Amino acid sequence: MPGVQPGEQVVLEVEDLSHSGEGVGRWQGQVVFVPLAVPGDRVRATVVEVKKKYLRARLEEVLVPGPARCRPRCPSFARCGGCHVQHLPYDYQLQYKTRLVRDSLERIGRLSGVKVLPILGMDNPWHYRNKVRFHVAHRDGRLALGLYAPGSHVLGHWMTRDAVCHILDGELNNLALMIECLLNKYRESLLDGSKPLLSYVTLRRALATGETMVVLATTRNHWPRQEELAGELAGTGRVTTVVQQTAILPRREVDTGWIRTLYGRGYITDCLNGLVFRLSATSFYQVNPMQTRVLYEKVREYAGLTGRERVVDAYCGVGTIALFLARQAREVLGMEVSPRAVADARQNARLNNLNNVFFVRGAVEKLLPRLFDRGGGPDVLVLDPPRRGCHRSVLEALARYPVPRVVYVSCDPGTLARDLGFLAGHGYRVVEVQPVDMFPQTHHVECVCLLEQARPALTEKLYWKDLHSLSSQPIFYRRDTGAGPEEVVL
Protein backbone atom coordinates (compact mmCIF):
# COMPACT_ATOMS: atom_id res chain seq x y z
CA MET A 1 0.00 0.00 0.00
CA PRO A 2 1.60 3.32 -1.01
CA GLY A 3 2.77 5.41 1.90
CA VAL A 4 2.98 2.54 4.38
CA GLN A 5 6.34 0.90 4.93
CA PRO A 6 7.67 -1.61 7.45
CA GLY A 7 8.87 0.23 10.52
CA GLU A 8 6.16 2.89 10.49
CA GLN A 9 3.80 3.13 13.44
CA VAL A 10 0.02 3.24 13.30
CA VAL A 11 -2.72 3.75 15.88
CA LEU A 12 -5.89 1.70 15.47
CA GLU A 13 -8.91 0.19 17.15
CA VAL A 14 -8.96 -3.62 17.43
CA GLU A 15 -12.31 -5.02 16.34
CA ASP A 16 -11.97 -8.81 16.27
CA LEU A 17 -9.70 -11.85 16.59
CA SER A 18 -8.29 -13.85 13.69
CA HIS A 19 -8.30 -17.66 13.44
CA SER A 20 -4.85 -17.65 15.08
CA GLY A 21 -5.82 -15.38 17.96
CA GLU A 22 -4.33 -12.15 16.57
CA GLY A 23 -6.11 -8.86 17.01
CA VAL A 24 -7.74 -7.53 13.84
CA GLY A 25 -8.20 -3.84 13.14
CA ARG A 26 -8.21 -1.42 10.22
CA TRP A 27 -5.98 1.47 9.30
CA GLN A 28 -7.01 3.65 6.34
CA GLY A 29 -9.29 0.84 5.17
CA GLN A 30 -6.54 -1.79 5.29
CA VAL A 31 -6.87 -4.88 7.49
CA VAL A 32 -4.14 -5.02 10.13
CA PHE A 33 -3.22 -8.11 12.18
CA VAL A 34 -1.71 -7.32 15.58
CA PRO A 35 -0.63 -10.27 17.79
CA LEU A 36 -1.41 -9.88 21.51
CA ALA A 37 -4.11 -7.26 20.88
CA VAL A 38 -7.73 -7.98 21.86
CA PRO A 39 -11.08 -6.62 20.68
CA GLY A 40 -11.81 -3.19 22.16
CA ASP A 41 -8.14 -2.24 22.51
CA ARG A 42 -6.83 1.01 21.11
CA VAL A 43 -3.20 0.27 20.30
CA ARG A 44 -0.04 1.73 18.84
CA ALA A 45 1.72 -0.79 16.62
CA THR A 46 4.72 -0.96 14.29
CA VAL A 47 4.13 -2.29 10.78
CA VAL A 48 6.37 -5.30 10.13
CA GLU A 49 4.87 -6.69 6.92
CA VAL A 50 3.03 -5.08 4.02
CA LYS A 51 0.88 -7.25 1.75
CA LYS A 52 -1.58 -6.40 -1.00
CA LYS A 53 -4.63 -7.17 1.14
CA TYR A 54 -3.39 -6.71 4.69
CA LEU A 55 -0.72 -5.42 7.03
CA ARG A 56 0.91 -7.19 9.95
CA ALA A 57 2.10 -5.14 12.90
CA ARG A 58 3.88 -5.58 16.22
CA LEU A 59 2.12 -4.35 19.34
CA GLU A 60 4.03 -1.50 20.95
CA GLU A 61 1.56 -0.09 23.46
CA VAL A 62 -2.02 -0.58 24.57
CA LEU A 63 -3.28 2.98 24.72
CA VAL A 64 -6.76 2.05 25.94
CA PRO A 65 -7.37 -1.55 27.01
CA GLY A 66 -10.54 -3.26 25.79
CA PRO A 67 -13.09 -4.57 28.29
CA ALA A 68 -12.19 -8.18 27.42
CA ARG A 69 -8.49 -7.84 28.27
CA CYS A 70 -7.24 -9.56 31.42
CA ARG A 71 -3.85 -10.06 33.03
CA PRO A 72 -2.11 -13.25 31.77
CA ARG A 73 -1.22 -15.72 34.49
CA CYS A 74 2.16 -16.52 32.90
CA PRO A 75 4.83 -13.78 32.93
CA SER A 76 6.29 -15.24 29.70
CA PHE A 77 2.99 -15.17 27.81
CA ALA A 78 4.00 -12.49 25.30
CA ARG A 79 7.32 -14.24 24.54
CA CYS A 80 6.23 -17.89 24.52
CA GLY A 81 4.55 -19.70 21.65
CA GLY A 82 2.74 -22.19 23.88
CA CYS A 83 -0.32 -19.99 24.53
CA HIS A 84 -2.11 -17.47 22.30
CA VAL A 85 -5.14 -16.09 24.18
CA GLN A 86 -4.15 -16.19 27.83
CA HIS A 87 -4.85 -12.44 27.93
CA LEU A 88 -8.58 -13.19 27.48
CA PRO A 89 -10.93 -14.45 30.22
CA TYR A 90 -11.82 -18.09 29.74
CA ASP A 91 -15.50 -17.45 29.02
CA TYR A 92 -14.46 -15.05 26.26
CA GLN A 93 -12.07 -17.69 24.86
CA LEU A 94 -14.98 -20.13 24.61
CA GLN A 95 -17.19 -17.61 22.85
CA TYR A 96 -14.37 -16.79 20.42
CA LYS A 97 -13.80 -20.45 19.55
CA THR A 98 -17.48 -21.19 18.98
CA ARG A 99 -17.72 -18.14 16.74
CA LEU A 100 -14.55 -19.18 14.91
CA VAL A 101 -16.09 -22.55 14.01
CA ARG A 102 -19.31 -20.92 12.76
CA ASP A 103 -17.40 -18.34 10.73
CA SER A 104 -15.13 -20.99 9.19
CA LEU A 105 -18.10 -23.09 8.07
CA GLU A 106 -19.75 -20.08 6.43
CA ARG A 107 -16.67 -18.41 4.95
CA ILE A 108 -14.58 -21.43 3.88
CA GLY A 109 -17.14 -24.20 3.55
CA ARG A 110 -19.90 -21.97 2.14
CA LEU A 111 -22.26 -23.69 4.58
CA SER A 112 -25.09 -21.68 6.06
CA GLY A 113 -27.49 -22.72 8.78
CA VAL A 114 -25.30 -25.51 10.16
CA LYS A 115 -26.11 -26.29 13.79
CA VAL A 116 -23.00 -25.44 15.81
CA LEU A 117 -23.41 -26.20 19.50
CA PRO A 118 -21.73 -24.08 22.19
CA ILE A 119 -18.20 -25.32 22.85
CA LEU A 120 -17.66 -27.76 25.73
CA GLY A 121 -15.17 -26.10 28.05
CA MET A 122 -13.30 -27.09 31.20
CA ASP A 123 -14.07 -26.36 34.83
CA ASN A 124 -10.34 -25.72 35.40
CA PRO A 125 -8.59 -24.67 32.17
CA TRP A 126 -5.06 -24.86 33.62
CA HIS A 127 -2.36 -27.53 34.02
CA TYR A 128 -4.13 -29.93 31.67
CA ARG A 129 -1.39 -30.97 29.22
CA ASN A 130 -0.04 -34.50 29.70
CA LYS A 131 2.76 -34.04 27.16
CA VAL A 132 5.30 -31.34 26.32
CA ARG A 133 8.38 -30.93 24.18
CA PHE A 134 11.05 -28.71 25.73
CA HIS A 135 13.81 -27.51 23.45
CA VAL A 136 17.37 -27.44 24.80
CA ALA A 137 19.62 -24.37 24.51
CA HIS A 138 23.06 -23.49 25.87
CA ARG A 139 22.44 -20.19 27.62
CA ASP A 140 24.69 -18.24 30.00
CA GLY A 141 26.90 -21.28 30.58
CA ARG A 142 23.97 -23.55 31.39
CA LEU A 143 21.70 -25.95 29.53
CA ALA A 144 18.17 -24.55 29.59
CA LEU A 145 14.83 -26.19 28.83
CA GLY A 146 12.23 -23.98 27.26
CA LEU A 147 9.58 -23.30 24.65
CA TYR A 148 10.11 -21.47 21.39
CA ALA A 149 8.93 -17.91 20.88
CA PRO A 150 6.08 -17.59 18.36
CA GLY A 151 7.20 -18.28 14.79
CA SER A 152 10.84 -18.82 15.73
CA HIS A 153 13.43 -21.38 16.77
CA VAL A 154 14.59 -19.26 19.69
CA LEU A 155 13.54 -19.94 23.27
CA GLY A 156 10.95 -17.46 24.46
CA HIS A 157 10.21 -19.16 27.78
CA TRP A 158 12.74 -20.82 30.08
CA MET A 159 11.70 -23.19 32.81
CA THR A 160 12.45 -21.82 36.27
CA ARG A 161 10.77 -22.24 39.62
CA ASP A 162 9.21 -18.80 39.17
CA ALA A 163 8.16 -19.39 35.54
CA VAL A 164 6.64 -22.83 35.13
CA CYS A 165 4.22 -23.64 32.33
CA HIS A 166 0.65 -22.92 33.43
CA ILE A 167 -1.01 -25.28 30.97
CA LEU A 168 1.33 -28.20 31.73
CA ASP A 169 0.57 -30.93 34.27
CA GLY A 170 2.02 -29.94 37.64
CA GLU A 171 4.05 -33.14 38.00
CA LEU A 172 5.62 -32.58 34.58
CA ASN A 173 6.54 -29.02 35.60
CA ASN A 174 8.37 -30.40 38.63
CA LEU A 175 9.99 -33.11 36.53
CA ALA A 176 11.21 -30.55 33.98
CA LEU A 177 12.93 -28.51 36.70
CA MET A 178 14.59 -31.62 38.08
CA ILE A 179 15.75 -32.72 34.61
CA GLU A 180 17.26 -29.32 33.88
CA CYS A 181 19.36 -29.58 37.04
CA LEU A 182 20.42 -33.08 36.06
CA LEU A 183 21.35 -32.07 32.52
CA ASN A 184 23.63 -29.39 33.91
CA LYS A 185 25.29 -31.95 36.15
CA TYR A 186 26.26 -33.79 32.95
CA ARG A 187 26.65 -30.61 30.91
CA GLU A 188 30.20 -31.24 29.69
CA SER A 189 29.29 -34.60 28.22
CA LEU A 190 26.19 -33.14 26.56
CA LEU A 191 27.99 -30.41 24.63
CA ASP A 192 29.70 -30.51 21.26
CA GLY A 193 31.70 -27.34 21.65
CA SER A 194 28.97 -24.89 22.61
CA LYS A 195 26.18 -26.80 20.87
CA PRO A 196 24.03 -29.22 22.92
CA LEU A 197 23.87 -32.84 21.77
CA LEU A 198 20.29 -32.83 23.03
CA SER A 199 17.85 -31.09 20.68
CA TYR A 200 14.76 -31.48 22.84
CA VAL A 201 13.34 -33.40 25.78
CA THR A 202 9.78 -34.74 25.59
CA LEU A 203 7.87 -35.49 28.77
CA ARG A 204 4.65 -37.49 28.86
CA ARG A 205 2.54 -38.51 31.85
CA ALA A 206 -0.39 -40.92 32.03
CA LEU A 207 -2.96 -39.32 34.31
CA ALA A 208 -4.70 -42.56 35.33
CA THR A 209 -1.57 -44.57 36.19
CA GLY A 210 0.92 -41.82 37.00
CA GLU A 211 3.50 -43.44 34.71
CA THR A 212 5.93 -40.98 33.17
CA MET A 213 8.14 -41.10 30.06
CA VAL A 214 11.22 -39.03 29.29
CA VAL A 215 12.35 -38.92 25.65
CA LEU A 216 15.84 -37.56 24.95
CA ALA A 217 16.14 -36.45 21.33
CA THR A 218 19.81 -36.38 20.38
CA THR A 219 21.93 -35.57 17.36
CA ARG A 220 24.15 -38.59 18.12
CA ASN A 221 23.28 -42.19 18.93
CA HIS A 222 25.79 -42.26 21.78
CA TRP A 223 27.38 -39.70 24.05
CA PRO A 224 29.60 -40.01 27.15
CA ARG A 225 27.88 -40.94 30.42
CA GLN A 226 24.46 -41.46 28.86
CA GLU A 227 23.87 -44.59 30.97
CA GLU A 228 24.69 -42.61 34.12
CA LEU A 229 22.22 -39.90 33.16
CA ALA A 230 19.49 -42.44 32.45
CA GLY A 231 20.23 -44.15 35.75
CA GLU A 232 19.89 -40.92 37.69
CA LEU A 233 16.61 -40.16 35.94
CA ALA A 234 15.36 -43.59 36.93
CA GLY A 235 16.60 -43.10 40.47
CA THR A 236 14.44 -40.06 41.06
CA GLY A 237 11.36 -42.26 41.44
CA ARG A 238 9.42 -39.94 39.12
CA VAL A 239 10.30 -41.61 35.80
CA THR A 240 8.87 -44.90 34.52
CA THR A 241 10.88 -45.15 31.31
CA VAL A 242 13.63 -43.25 29.48
CA VAL A 243 13.85 -43.39 25.69
CA GLN A 244 16.42 -41.98 23.30
CA GLN A 245 15.48 -41.05 19.75
CA THR A 246 16.98 -39.30 16.75
CA ALA A 247 16.05 -35.64 16.76
CA ILE A 248 13.41 -35.18 14.05
CA LEU A 249 10.77 -32.64 13.19
CA PRO A 250 7.49 -33.38 14.99
CA ARG A 251 4.93 -35.02 12.71
CA ARG A 252 1.92 -36.97 13.81
CA GLU A 253 1.71 -39.27 10.81
CA VAL A 254 5.41 -40.06 10.35
CA ASP A 255 7.54 -41.72 13.02
CA THR A 256 10.81 -42.45 11.27
CA GLY A 257 14.06 -42.30 13.16
CA TRP A 258 16.20 -44.38 15.46
CA ILE A 259 14.76 -45.21 18.90
CA ARG A 260 16.09 -47.19 21.82
CA THR A 261 15.13 -47.67 25.42
CA LEU A 262 17.63 -46.53 28.04
CA TYR A 263 15.53 -47.48 31.06
CA GLY A 264 12.23 -49.25 31.69
CA ARG A 265 9.89 -50.82 29.15
CA GLY A 266 10.05 -48.12 26.49
CA TYR A 267 6.37 -47.27 26.88
CA ILE A 268 3.83 -46.18 29.48
CA THR A 269 0.20 -47.20 29.94
CA ASP A 270 -2.84 -45.05 30.52
CA CYS A 271 -6.49 -45.86 31.18
CA LEU A 272 -9.52 -44.23 29.62
CA ASN A 273 -13.12 -45.25 30.24
CA GLY A 274 -12.10 -48.73 31.40
CA LEU A 275 -9.67 -49.27 28.50
CA VAL A 276 -5.90 -49.65 28.79
CA PHE A 277 -3.63 -47.97 26.25
CA ARG A 278 0.04 -48.62 25.65
CA LEU A 279 1.87 -45.48 24.53
CA SER A 280 5.32 -45.54 22.95
CA ALA A 281 7.59 -42.56 22.37
CA THR A 282 6.09 -41.68 18.96
CA SER A 283 2.46 -42.58 19.66
CA PHE A 284 -0.14 -39.89 19.10
CA TYR A 285 -2.40 -39.50 22.13
CA GLN A 286 -4.62 -36.56 23.05
CA VAL A 287 -2.81 -34.14 25.37
CA ASN A 288 -5.84 -33.22 27.49
CA PRO A 289 -7.01 -36.35 29.35
CA MET A 290 -10.08 -34.73 30.93
CA GLN A 291 -11.43 -33.42 27.62
CA THR A 292 -10.45 -36.56 25.71
CA ARG A 293 -13.22 -38.43 27.51
CA VAL A 294 -15.67 -35.64 26.61
CA LEU A 295 -14.55 -35.75 22.97
CA TYR A 296 -14.77 -39.53 22.61
CA GLU A 297 -18.16 -39.71 24.31
CA LYS A 298 -19.41 -37.29 21.67
CA VAL A 299 -17.89 -39.46 18.93
CA ARG A 300 -19.70 -42.47 20.34
CA GLU A 301 -22.98 -40.55 20.56
CA TYR A 302 -22.72 -39.44 16.93
CA ALA A 303 -21.74 -42.97 15.80
CA GLY A 304 -25.15 -44.17 17.05
CA LEU A 305 -24.01 -47.78 17.47
CA THR A 306 -26.44 -50.62 18.17
CA GLY A 307 -24.00 -53.53 18.05
CA ARG A 308 -24.69 -54.40 14.41
CA GLU A 309 -22.51 -51.82 12.67
CA ARG A 310 -19.20 -52.17 10.91
CA VAL A 311 -17.05 -49.13 11.66
CA VAL A 312 -13.93 -47.75 10.00
CA ASP A 313 -11.67 -45.52 12.11
CA ALA A 314 -9.49 -43.68 9.59
CA TYR A 315 -6.26 -42.12 10.89
CA CYS A 316 -6.67 -44.30 13.99
CA GLY A 317 -3.29 -43.73 15.68
CA VAL A 318 -2.85 -46.14 18.60
CA GLY A 319 -6.49 -47.17 18.32
CA THR A 320 -8.08 -45.00 20.99
CA ILE A 321 -11.32 -44.22 19.14
CA ALA A 322 -11.45 -47.66 17.50
CA LEU A 323 -11.29 -49.41 20.87
CA PHE A 324 -13.62 -46.87 22.44
CA LEU A 325 -16.28 -47.82 19.87
CA ALA A 326 -15.55 -51.55 19.61
CA ARG A 327 -17.61 -52.51 22.64
CA GLN A 328 -20.77 -51.23 20.93
CA ALA A 329 -19.96 -52.27 17.33
CA ARG A 330 -19.97 -55.50 15.36
CA GLU A 331 -16.51 -54.87 13.94
CA VAL A 332 -14.08 -51.97 13.80
CA LEU A 333 -11.28 -51.51 11.28
CA GLY A 334 -8.54 -48.98 12.01
CA MET A 335 -6.36 -47.44 9.30
CA GLU A 336 -3.07 -45.74 10.12
CA VAL A 337 0.09 -44.89 8.15
CA SER A 338 2.51 -45.10 11.11
CA PRO A 339 3.92 -48.61 11.63
CA ARG A 340 4.74 -47.95 15.28
CA ALA A 341 1.26 -46.63 15.99
CA VAL A 342 -0.28 -49.69 14.33
CA ALA A 343 1.91 -51.95 16.47
CA ASP A 344 0.68 -50.13 19.57
CA ALA A 345 -2.93 -50.32 18.36
CA ARG A 346 -2.75 -54.08 17.89
CA GLN A 347 -1.17 -54.47 21.29
CA ASN A 348 -3.89 -52.28 22.81
CA ALA A 349 -6.59 -54.50 21.28
CA ARG A 350 -4.96 -57.53 22.89
CA LEU A 351 -4.58 -55.77 26.25
CA ASN A 352 -8.30 -55.04 26.28
CA ASN A 353 -9.37 -58.47 24.97
CA LEU A 354 -11.23 -56.94 22.06
CA ASN A 355 -11.34 -59.46 19.22
CA ASN A 356 -13.58 -57.50 16.87
CA VAL A 357 -10.99 -54.79 16.10
CA PHE A 358 -8.55 -55.03 13.19
CA PHE A 359 -5.81 -52.64 12.14
CA VAL A 360 -4.25 -52.16 8.74
CA ARG A 361 -1.15 -50.11 8.01
CA GLY A 362 -1.07 -47.68 5.13
CA ALA A 363 -2.11 -44.24 3.94
CA VAL A 364 -5.85 -43.66 4.34
CA GLU A 365 -6.02 -41.99 0.93
CA LYS A 366 -4.95 -45.30 -0.61
CA LEU A 367 -6.64 -47.81 1.70
CA LEU A 368 -10.10 -46.26 1.96
CA PRO A 369 -10.76 -46.05 -1.81
CA ARG A 370 -9.58 -49.67 -2.17
CA LEU A 371 -11.94 -50.73 0.57
CA PHE A 372 -14.86 -48.99 -1.14
CA ASP A 373 -13.92 -50.37 -4.55
CA ARG A 374 -14.05 -53.91 -3.14
CA GLY A 375 -17.46 -53.36 -1.62
CA GLY A 376 -16.26 -53.06 1.97
CA GLY A 377 -17.85 -49.74 2.83
CA PRO A 378 -18.72 -49.37 6.52
CA ASP A 379 -21.97 -48.42 8.22
CA VAL A 380 -20.12 -45.74 10.18
CA LEU A 381 -16.91 -43.97 9.19
CA VAL A 382 -14.84 -41.99 11.70
CA LEU A 383 -12.39 -39.50 10.19
CA ASP A 384 -9.73 -38.07 12.51
CA PRO A 385 -7.13 -36.64 10.12
CA PRO A 386 -4.09 -34.51 10.93
CA ARG A 387 -4.38 -30.73 10.87
CA ARG A 388 -4.22 -30.51 7.08
CA GLY A 389 -7.52 -32.42 6.83
CA CYS A 390 -8.52 -35.27 4.52
CA HIS A 391 -6.76 -36.04 1.28
CA ARG A 392 -8.86 -35.23 -1.79
CA SER A 393 -9.05 -38.92 -2.77
CA VAL A 394 -10.65 -39.74 0.59
CA LEU A 395 -13.41 -37.19 0.00
CA GLU A 396 -13.90 -38.33 -3.60
CA ALA A 397 -14.25 -41.94 -2.43
CA LEU A 398 -16.95 -40.84 0.01
CA ALA A 399 -18.71 -39.05 -2.83
CA ARG A 400 -18.67 -42.22 -5.00
CA TYR A 401 -19.63 -44.67 -2.26
CA PRO A 402 -22.05 -43.14 0.26
CA VAL A 403 -21.59 -44.05 3.92
CA PRO A 404 -24.79 -43.76 6.00
CA ARG A 405 -23.07 -42.01 8.90
CA VAL A 406 -19.76 -40.13 9.05
CA VAL A 407 -18.22 -38.74 12.25
CA TYR A 408 -15.49 -36.20 11.50
CA VAL A 409 -13.04 -35.24 14.28
CA SER A 410 -10.94 -32.19 13.46
CA CYS A 411 -8.33 -30.04 15.15
CA ASP A 412 -8.56 -27.27 12.53
CA PRO A 413 -11.83 -25.46 11.79
CA GLY A 414 -10.50 -24.25 8.43
CA THR A 415 -9.72 -27.64 6.92
CA LEU A 416 -12.85 -29.07 8.54
CA ALA A 417 -14.96 -26.42 6.82
CA ARG A 418 -13.26 -27.09 3.49
CA ASP A 419 -13.91 -30.84 3.72
CA LEU A 420 -17.48 -30.46 4.96
CA GLY A 421 -18.18 -28.08 2.11
CA PHE A 422 -17.05 -30.73 -0.38
CA LEU A 423 -19.10 -33.49 1.25
CA ALA A 424 -22.17 -31.28 1.53
CA GLY A 425 -21.98 -30.82 -2.22
CA HIS A 426 -21.91 -34.58 -2.78
CA GLY A 427 -25.00 -35.82 -1.00
CA TYR A 428 -24.07 -35.52 2.67
CA ARG A 429 -25.99 -33.47 5.21
CA VAL A 430 -24.04 -31.76 7.98
CA VAL A 431 -26.28 -32.56 10.94
CA GLU A 432 -24.39 -30.97 13.80
CA VAL A 433 -20.98 -29.69 14.89
CA GLN A 434 -19.80 -29.86 18.51
CA PRO A 435 -16.66 -27.87 19.36
CA VAL A 436 -14.65 -29.17 22.33
CA ASP A 437 -12.03 -27.05 24.08
CA MET A 438 -9.09 -29.45 24.15
CA PHE A 439 -6.54 -26.62 24.31
CA PRO A 440 -7.51 -23.80 26.71
CA GLN A 441 -5.38 -20.62 26.55
CA THR A 442 -4.58 -21.33 22.87
CA HIS A 443 -6.42 -20.53 19.63
CA HIS A 444 -6.74 -24.25 18.80
CA VAL A 445 -10.18 -25.85 18.86
CA GLU A 446 -11.26 -29.45 18.34
CA CYS A 447 -14.58 -30.30 16.70
CA VAL A 448 -16.73 -33.40 16.31
CA CYS A 449 -19.15 -33.32 13.38
CA LEU A 450 -21.94 -35.67 12.36
CA LEU A 451 -22.81 -36.14 8.69
CA GLU A 452 -25.53 -38.37 7.27
CA GLN A 453 -26.05 -39.74 3.79
CA ALA A 454 -29.51 -40.80 2.66
CA ARG A 455 -28.49 -42.65 -0.48
CA PRO A 456 -28.05 -46.43 -0.07
CA ALA A 457 -24.66 -48.09 -0.51
CA LEU A 458 -23.99 -49.27 -4.06
CA THR A 459 -22.36 -52.62 -3.27
CA GLU A 460 -22.54 -55.43 -0.76
CA LYS A 461 -20.12 -55.37 2.12
CA LEU A 462 -16.88 -57.33 2.13
CA TYR A 463 -16.19 -59.67 5.04
CA TRP A 464 -13.40 -57.82 6.81
CA LYS A 465 -11.20 -60.77 7.66
CA ASP A 466 -10.14 -60.66 3.97
CA LEU A 467 -8.83 -57.11 4.17
CA HIS A 468 -5.18 -58.19 4.09
CA SER A 469 -5.23 -57.57 0.35
CA LEU A 470 -5.70 -53.84 0.96
CA SER A 471 -2.09 -53.47 2.03
CA SER A 472 1.23 -55.08 1.26
CA GLN A 473 1.80 -55.36 5.02
CA PRO A 474 0.49 -58.30 7.06
CA ILE A 475 -2.59 -57.73 9.22
CA PHE A 476 -2.91 -59.29 12.65
CA TYR A 477 -6.29 -60.36 13.90
CA ARG A 478 -7.61 -62.57 16.68
CA ARG A 479 -9.75 -65.66 16.26
CA ASP A 480 -11.12 -68.14 18.76
CA THR A 481 -10.08 -71.72 17.97
CA GLY A 482 -11.99 -73.19 20.87
CA ALA A 483 -8.89 -73.39 22.99
CA GLY A 484 -8.78 -69.61 23.37
CA PRO A 485 -7.97 -66.64 21.13
CA GLU A 486 -5.00 -66.95 18.82
CA GLU A 487 -3.16 -64.36 16.79
CA VAL A 488 -3.13 -64.98 13.06
CA VAL A 489 -0.88 -63.33 10.49
CA LEU A 490 -2.51 -62.88 7.09
Side-chain angles (χ1 to χ4, degrees), residues 34 102 104 128 187 233 269 280 283 291 311 367 390 490:
V34 187
R102 291 196 180 106
S104 297
Y128 60 85
R187 183 174 62 87
L233 283 170
T269 56
S280 60
S283 297
Q291 292 293 84
V311 181
L367 295 181
C390 290
L490 298 177

Side-chain angles (χ1 to χ4, degrees), residues 4-8 46-50:
V4 180
Q5 298 296 327
E8 294 187 28
T46 300
V47 175
V48 296
E49 189 176 12
V50 178

Side-chain angles (χ1 to χ4, degrees), residues 299-300 302-306 308-314 325 329 331-333 368 372 377-383 398 403-407 450-451 461 464:
V299 171
R300 181 159 58 188
Y302 283 171
L305 301 176
T306 65
R308 299 188 298 270
E309 294 82 7
R310 287 189 167 117
V311 181
V312 166
D313 178 12
L325 299 179
E331 290 179 323
V332 180
L333 172 69
L368 195 62
F372 285 132
D379 303 296
V380 178
L381 171 64
V382 177
L383 297 170
L398 281 172
V403 175
R405 186 173 287 250
V406 177
V407 182
L450 171 61
L451 300 97
K461 297 195 184 337
W464 284 5

Side-chain angles (χ1 to χ4, degrees), residues 112-182:
S112 60
V114 173
K115 183 179 180 181
V116 178
L117 299 175
I119 192 169
L120 299 175
M122 300 185 69
D123 292 334
N124 179 19
W126 303 98
H127 297 295
Y128 60 85
R129 284 192 67 100
N130 61 12
K131 181 183 178 183
V132 66
R133 171 174 291 182
F134 287 116
H135 297 275
V136 180
H138 192 206
R139 176 174 175 264
D140 298 331
R142 288 181 58 83
L143 292 177
L145 295 181
L147 302 170
Y148 282 156
S152 78
H153 290 86
V154 177
L155 294 189
H157 173 86
W158 298 272
M159 289 297 292
T160 68
R161 296 198 178 278
D162 296 325
V164 296
C165 178
H166 290 273
I167 62 172
L168 182 62
D169 176 273
E171 289 298 320
L172 292 186
N173 270 310
N174 293 332
L175 180 59
L177 294 172
M178 184 272 294
I179 289 176
E180 184 175 297
C181 291
L182 200 53

Side-chain angles (χ1 to χ4, degrees), residues 349-358 476-489:
R350 288 190 286 269
L351 286 173
N352 292 284
N353 295 314
L354 290 170
N355 301 318
N356 64 333
V357 189
F358 313 93
F476 292 82
Y477 74 98
R478 306 288 295 281
R479 72 180 180 191
D480 198 330
T481 61
E486 127 183 60
E487 186 176 85
V488 179
V489 181

Side-chain angles (χ1 to χ4, degrees), residues 130 169-172 175 203-214 236-241 263 265 267-272 276-277 279 285 289:
N130 61 12
D169 176 273
E171 289 298 320
L172 292 186
L175 180 59
L203 308 180
R204 171 179 272 176
R205 181 172 182 263
L207 180 66
T209 64
E211 295 181 6
T212 304
M213 173 184 290
V214 176
T236 63
R238 293 179 173 176
V239 178
T240 306
T241 190
Y263 167 75
R265 301 169 299 183
Y267 62 87
I268 59 175
T269 56
D270 200 8
C271 300
L272 180 65
V276 179
F277 294 99
L279 308 173
Y285 192 67

